[in-house]
Amino acid sequence: MRVPRGGVHALLGPNGAGKTTTVRILATLTRPDSGSARVAGHDVLREQRRVRRSISLAGQHAALDDEQTGAENLIMLARLAGLSGAAARGRAAALLERFDLTDAAGRRVVTYSGGMRRRLDLAASLVGTPSVIFLDEPTTGLDPRSRQGLWELIGELAGAGVTVLLTTQYLEEADRLADRIAVLHGGRLAAEGTAADLKRRFGAQRLELTWRDAASFAEAARRLGDRVIHREPARQELSVATDGSAPQVRALLDEVDPDRHGLLRFTVREATLDDVFLTLTDRPVSNEREVANV
């Protein structure tokens, strides 16, 4: 897996696929069993200090002191990073303003909402000037409005030239944010590319057919045979793969409903990341050597 500088690179995969473990290895928190990894040009085993000076990590749970205020959390981290008192206060104030937390700066973090805690955690990860930021499922548990706000902040970071490696279980999040996507399965890289490329390679377009009655549904299922990729008898719906072209769609409609009496309606649905995800995570795991460059 190679991640170019700048932009957002998403890691997708089911629970246990290795997303968090990959992040922990790249952040020098876990030692790899084999293979090699470099972050910002530095080896994660031989040059740990250089890696740590180049990165920031926001994990699944906000790493904040609940008993301190938002401002105190950021000032403390800035002081630990080596800034003087005045510089630390200035950096904290700038980050609080950037993440729309100025009004809550004097409140203890224990009083913050989930979305506010996430924004403060992301602000804390920028106290230094990292070139690479690891975000491990940063929007888990957030309401839609808070998630949208965090998406905008992540986009701003990438636009400023920061490399963002994002793990997520929300496929629409990866589709919306990521310049490139990697799908992990069983600790291995199953596929990598842009969202459009992955949809083209692994996600079939579907012709979705809804029938007037059970008899029409059963006859269409018989005609299509093993070409049916999804069926819902209770709703009398069938789906068949298609390239989306008008000639093929017309031919399929004529084949399954030659008398034009049984079909109630049809829809051509574009491939989604859900289709890609389900296709790739249903495959056997390969045995390629692990190599990562971020």
Side-chain angles (χ1 to χ4, degrees):
M1 180 177 70
R2 296 182 181 275
V3 179
R5 292 182 185 274
V8 180
H9 195 103
L11 291 180
L12 302 181
N15 291 332
K19 301 186 298 296
T20 295
T21 300
T22 298
V23 168
R24 289 183 60 83
I25 289 171
L26 295 174
T28 73
L29 298 176
T30 296
R31 188 179 184 88
D33 297 314
S34 63
S36 63
R38 300 177 69 84
V39 177
H42 308 302
D43 187 275
V44 298
L45 291 178
R46 297 191 300 270
E47 302 173 282
Q48 287 190 357
R49 289 186 178 180
R50 292 186 176 183
V51 171
R52 290 171 182 173
R53 283 197 292 265
S54 303
I55 69 171
S56 187
L57 168 64
Q60 294 180 20
H61 305 287
L64 302 167
D65 185 340
D66 283 348
E67 296 308 311
Q68 293 194 96
T69 67
E72 288 169 344
N73 267 277
L74 297 184
I75 292 170
M76 176 187 69
L77 291 171
R79 293 288 283 157
L80 290 172
L83 274 64
S84 67
R89 289 190 294 272
R91 182 65 175 156
L95 287 169
L96 289 165
E97 181 178 1
R98 180 177 185 182
F99 287 87
D100 195 25
L101 290 168
T102 300
D103 290 344
R107 287 168 44 192
R108 290 190 305 156
V109 172
V110 71
T111 68
Y112 282 21
S113 68
M116 293 170 67
R117 290 174 65 89
R118 267 301 177 196
R119 297 206 306 274
L120 184 62
D121 196 38
L122 192 52
S125 71
L126 293 173
V127 163
T129 54
S131 59
V132 178
I133 295 180
F134 298 109
L135 300 179
D136 192 14
E137 300 188 16
T139 62
T140 297
L142 296 186
D143 62 73
R145 186 180 298 278
S146 297
R147 184 175 297 140
Q148 178 73 32
L150 201 58
W151 286 356
E152 293 174 1
L153 291 172
I154 292 170
E156 290 175 9
L157 291 176
V162 177
T163 302
V164 179
L165 188 67
L166 168 75
T167 76
T168 181
Q169 294 195 45
Y170 298 115
L171 300 183
E172 75 276 13
E173 185 165 88
D175 208 355
R176 164 77 178 270
L177 292 176
D179 301 294
R180 292 183 66 80
I181 297 169
V183 182
L184 298 182
H185 176 41
R188 306 285 176 170
L189 186 63
E192 186 179 15
T194 64
D197 179 47
L198 292 175
K199 291 173 188 177
R200 178 182 57 79
R201 289 161 55 196
F202 301 106
Q205 295 188 69
R206 294 182 179 185
L207 176 62
E208 298 181 338
L209 307 164
T210 303
W211 300 91
R212 293 185 184 278
D213 50 51
S216 299
F217 172 87
E219 176 60 18
R222 185 192 66 77
R223 290 175 181 270
L224 291 169
D226 59 10
R227 287 177 292 169
V228 174
I229 59 177
H230 182 71
R231 68 184 70 208
E232 290 191 35
R235 299 169 62 178
Q236 297 171 177
E237 293 179 354
L238 295 172
S239 295
V240 60
T242 175
D243 61 11
S245 67
Q248 189 189 54
V249 170
R250 288 195 189 99
L252 283 168
L253 294 176
D254 288 340
E255 177 185 354
V256 297
D257 190 26
D259 298 329
R260 302 190 179 186
H261 294 306
L263 187 63
L264 183 62
R265 59 179 175 272
F266 72 91
T267 304
V268 178
R269 185 174 69 78
E270 295 291 329
T272 67
L273 278 183
D274 294 72
D275 299 323
V276 174
F277 183 88
L278 293 172
T279 297
L280 290 173
T281 56
D282 193 41
R283 293 181 166 192
V285 178
S286 66
N287 290 308
E288 295 178 0
R289 180 174 180 267
E290 307 94 325
V291 178
N293 264 292
V294 178

